[in-house]
Amino acid sequence: MSEMQEDTNTERPQFSADALKQVDEIFSRYPKERRASALMPVLHLAQSEFGGWLSRQTLDYVAEVVGVAPIRCYEVATFYTMYNLKPVGKYHVQVCTNISCWLCDSETIVSSLEEKLQAKVGSTTSDNRFTLSAVECLGACINAPMMQVNDDYFENLTADRVAEIIDRLP
Amino acid sequence: MSAQVQILFKNSTKKNSHTLKVHKEGGGYKQVEKAFGLSTEDIIDEVKRSGIRGRGGAGFPAGLKWSFIPKDNSRDKYLVCNADEGEPGTCKDRDIIRYVPHQLIEGMIIAAYAVGAERGYIYIRGEFVREAEILQKAIDEAYKEGYLGENILDKGIRFDLAIHRGAGAYVCGEETGLLESLEGKKGQPRVKPPFPANIGLWGGPTVINNVETLAAVPAIIEKGGEWYGKLGVEKSSGTKLFSISGHVNKPGNYEVELGIPMKTLIEEYAGGVRGGWDNLKGIIPGGASSAILPKEVCETVTMDYDAIAKAGSMLGSGAVVVIDKSVCIVKAVERLSRFYRHESCGQCTPCREGTGWMSQIMTRIEAGGGVEGDIELLGSICGNISGKTICALGDAAVGPIAGSIKAFREEYLYHVEHGRCMVG
């Protein structure tokens, strides 16, 4: 389990008008008296709105928006691996290393990324452009090895293709 | 290669197969009309007659599951589709969602009508961002065309459907962990009984079915349970998607009738084992949690629930992971042991502590630091987890370790004795 981290920026987080509209749409998916169910989707939204991670301040804000106790929000945010509790780079590169990808040599993919990005697994590049993670099965096993960069899957990888994909990122 | 009946993937190769237009051109949504003309009991009987068993891993008869929903309960009922697809090796539901999402939605409308649910959710794993987008578009289309909403086909039948994205927790594939997650909590499974059919989502009677199960429903309504029941073999009726990955020449998702010989599936569909059949070491038949079967078993075993169980493993989600002779089994299982340690939700002591210890011992053996008695110690921990936890994750963690010690004991012994792999 990860620990929560304070944001050095002390300004109170605030969803944009557009994001608040999305929050309303999220609430509409659940019965009125079951608003707590909106916690996970609102956390996803907050993560994309506030720089790719959830600070302790953001978690307090989300709890307030959804109408649950902050502790409930902390519990959920620390339970699920997709909620980043510390800052990540502009691109979060997640390489699957579970069984099917491992059999198809995901180790080479990881090492070529470490070399390409000059960053070890679990770290962020000094320019904050990339965070490299080794993750569990992402469910694209028939196209192993694969990785996810932010929201997109890249499958049937080779060391060369990985370098190409990284170079092409804007 | 013999032509196989295609039910789930019948329309999946058509251009724009994910759209409502193409789905309807292929006969889609006709079964909603047909189902609405039947009584709910008739639909449940038809699904029972089909014999279809849950495709998510547990293999529980779907019709029976639906019949458990109490008629006299006044609480709102719910239908939930499990699209968490977290079992390592499994990626079949992803292709149903990407290529034929309306088939899933159609199946859900029929299932919801049969069990009396007016609200449903598709719980999709959080990493499937693009897949969720495709699915949302399909749901929007279905609303627009009057297949979802408060008055479907002007028949006064209501069904609202929404997506709920997970956020990276394998345990949420367990149905009550999933419900907790849907309620906005940590995905820690519930003690059963009560089963979700009685007390499920927000306390209401709830049916939870896998994507593949629900996507097969329209065909069962169209052609009848008896027709479906004749496909496959006894007690394993119908077709199944197998995700074949690892050391094969043509990895992929293949839809075949249950009961097909494993060797045929690998050799004729998946292009054969890399380096030829004789280069095979073993096959994980039903996802990471199922025990690996050594080559001699793979020669003759058939792909159905009973045959795989009899061989000492399980059909699970149908994720077939092929492992050739270049692989050290200890190393492969060590990798899996780390997965279960990471994914244990921490609720039950035997699983929380046991997965940690098993992973540590596996890592020690793999790194060359194994000591005499380690194999017995692993066996003892397996015994202390198995059957002693709230959900099946504990047993899932035991599966690959206990299975590989049984089938490949000599590799473990070699590792402990020599401090290195038997291969390579």
Side-chain angles (χ1 to χ4, degrees):
Chain A
M1 192 173 295
S2 321
E3 275 181 30
M4 294 178 293
Q5 195 173 310
E6 304 285 319
D7 195 340
T8 47
N9 175 1
T10 50
E11 211 178 301
R12 187 176 177 278
Q14 172 66 48
F15 277 135
S16 64
D18 185 53
L20 283 172
K21 251 190 230 161
Q22 289 183 60
V23 170
D24 282 338
E25 186 279 316
I26 289 169
F27 283 144
S28 75
R29 296 175 202 164
Y30 310 96
K32 277 194 182 63
E33 66 281 17
R34 309 293 179 189
R35 268 169 71 123
S37 283
L39 184 54
M40 286 179 67
V42 176
L43 281 170
H44 278 305
L45 178 67
Q47 183 158 291
S48 70
E49 289 287 305
F50 301 120
W53 72 292
L54 299 164
S55 67
R56 213 258 312 143
Q57 290 94 325
T58 302
L59 295 178
D60 286 346
Y61 175 65
V62 167
E64 193 188 308
V65 168
V66 178
V68 298
I71 184 69
R72 179 97 178 256
C73 188
Y74 302 164
E75 244 184 22
V76 168
T78 55
F79 184 82
Y80 297 92
T81 52
M82 280 178 69
Y83 298 128
N84 299 317
L85 300 177
K86 54 182 189 190
V88 292
K90 183 181 177 195
Y91 297 107
H92 192 188
V93 180
Q94 307 188 73
V95 190
C96 174
T97 58
N98 207 305
I99 188 79
S100 301
C101 283
W102 176 75
L103 287 170
C104 296
D105 207 13
S106 59
E107 283 173 356
T108 299
I109 305 302
V110 170
S111 58
S112 66
L113 276 162
E114 285 187 328
E115 195 183 321
K116 176 81 188 165
L117 303 176
Q118 287 297 300
K120 288 279 164 205
V121 164
S123 72
T124 300
T125 54
S126 53
D127 59 359
N128 281 326
R129 201 167 144 77
F130 296 100
T131 297
L132 179 62
S133 305
V135 296
E136 297 297 352
C137 184
L138 291 173
C141 322
I142 59 173
N143 299 326
M146 62 81 64
M147 66 178 178
Q148 182 169 19
V149 181
N150 293 349
D151 290 343
D152 290 299
Y153 277 20
F154 294 90
E155 303 169 45
N156 295 309
L157 297 176
T158 59
D160 288 347
R161 258 205 86 214
V162 164
E164 224 175 89
I165 290 161
I166 296 296
D167 284 336
R168 271 205 215 137
L169 290 171
Chain B
M1 181 153 86
S2 56
Q4 291 272 339
V5 183
Q6 300 288 288
I7 292 172
L8 302 152
F9 278 176
K10 190 178 66 172
N11 295 318
S12 68
T13 52
K14 290 181 184 163
K15 199 178 166 210
N16 294 323
S17 61
H18 62 284
T19 61
L20 187 133
K21 186 169 169 278
V22 174
H23 180 64
K24 281 191 83 169
E25 281 165 9
Y29 285 120
K30 282 213 178 97
Q31 304 321 313
V32 171
E33 286 185 65
K34 184 173 176 183
F36 285 180
L38 301 169
S39 74
T40 57
E41 288 82 6
D42 285 346
I43 295 173
I44 294 175
D45 281 346
E46 208 62 63
V47 175
K48 273 187 182 168
R49 241 191 312 278
S50 77
I52 187 169
R53 294 169 65 168
R55 302 298 195 223
F60 192 81
L64 198 56
K65 204 177 205 181
W66 293 8
S67 72
F68 290 157
I69 294 292
K71 291 254 176 297
D72 51 359
N73 192 320
S74 63
R75 297 191 73 134
D76 287 341
K77 301 175 179 74
Y78 301 100
L79 173 69
V80 177
C81 170
N82 187 342
D84 196 48
E85 191 142 82
E87 180 69 18
T90 319
C91 53
K92 64 189 177 69
D93 297 337
R94 180 185 183 216
D95 277 0
I96 292 176
I97 289 166
R98 287 198 295 179
Y99 301 128
V100 285
H102 285 285
Q103 200 168 314
L104 169 62
I105 295 168
E106 185 172 5
M108 286 192 77
I109 298 165
I110 297 166
Y113 168 68
V115 302
E118 294 193 338
R119 199 184 272 273
Y121 293 94
I122 300 172
Y123 186 101
I124 187 168
R125 63 175 299 166
E127 294 87 348
F128 283 172
V129 180
R130 301 306 175 209
E131 292 75 4
E133 287 170 359
I134 293 169
L135 197 50
Q136 187 59 54
K137 274 196 189 122
I139 290 173
D140 293 345
E141 275 187 309
Y143 264 106
K144 213 170 143 225
E145 295 282 320
Y147 292 107
L148 288 172
E150 57 191 20
N151 185 16
I152 301 172
L153 300 172
D154 291 325
K155 293 277 197 308
I157 294 163
R158 180 183 192 125
F159 184 54
D160 282 305
L161 181 60
I163 294 173
H164 187 94
R165 284 178 61 215
Y170 169 70
V171 76
C172 291
E174 198 277 347
E175 58 181 20
T176 59
L178 186 154
L179 292 179
E180 287 288 299
S181 186
L182 196 40
E183 291 183 4
K185 300 179 222 164
K186 293 187 287 184
Q188 291 187 321
R190 299 173 182 172
V191 177
K192 292 167 287 267
F195 289 94
N198 292 106
I199 299 177
L201 181 61
W202 302 310
T206 304
V207 163
I208 304 149
N209 286 138
N210 175 254
V211 171
E212 189 184 346
T213 316
L214 289 163
V217 169
I220 293 169
I221 297 303
E222 183 192 353
K223 295 181 175 163
E226 203 180 312
W227 169 82
Y228 189 90
K230 280 183 186 149
L231 300 170
V233 293
E234 206 185 343
K235 290 188 188 161
S236 292
S237 62
T239 64
K240 173 93 191 76
L241 295 179
F242 288 105
S243 302
I244 308 179
S245 68
H247 294 151
V248 288
N249 294 314
K250 267 174 56 192
N253 283 320
Y254 298 95
E255 180 176 9
V256 294
E257 284 181 49
L258 282 161
I260 189 174
M262 184 190 253
K263 191 172 176 181
T264 308
L265 184 64
I266 301 303
E267 292 287 275
E268 291 185 21
Y269 290 83
V273 179
R274 185 176 79 174
W277 179 256
D278 284 339
N279 194 33
L280 177 68
K281 178 170 261 184
I283 293 177
I284 298 173
S289 312
S290 64
I292 181 171
L293 298 172
K295 179 172 179 279
E296 55 272 25
V297 176
C298 302
E299 299 278 356
T300 54
V301 76
T302 55
M303 297 301 281
D304 55 82
Y305 294 97
D306 289 359
I308 298 286
K310 216 174 141 197
S313 188
M314 60 177 186
L315 194 72
S317 59
V320 180
V321 184
V322 178
I323 298 172
D324 78 9
K325 284 184 174 158
S326 69
V327 176
C328 168
I329 291 296
V330 176
K331 198 170 179 192
V333 175
E334 188 266 340
R335 178 64 192 86
L336 290 177
S337 73
R338 280 187 278 131
F339 168 73
Y340 291 105
R341 178 188 201 169
H342 181 257
E343 299 298 342
S344 175
C345 81
Q347 186 174 208
C348 309
T349 312
C351 174
R352 181 187 63 237
E353 303 300 318
T355 52
W357 282 112
M358 290 198 298
S359 167
Q360 279 189 47
I361 297 164
M362 286 302 302
T363 302
R364 173 164 89 199
I365 298 174
E366 166 56 24
V371 293
E372 212 193 311
D374 269 357
I375 302 169
E376 290 68 26
L377 187 54
L378 281 171
S380 149
I381 299 171
C382 287
N384 280 311
I385 297 175
S386 199
K388 296 179 177 68
T389 55
I390 288 173
C391 87
L393 195 147
D395 287 296
V398 164
I401 293 180
S404 61
I405 290 177
K406 200 171 143 214
F408 295 96
R409 191 181 181 86
E410 72 284 0
E411 289 202 26
Y412 279 86
L413 287 169
Y414 189 95
H415 240 290
V416 171
E417 216 171 287
H418 298 83
R420 64 178 183 86
C421 305
M422 210 166 155
V423 296

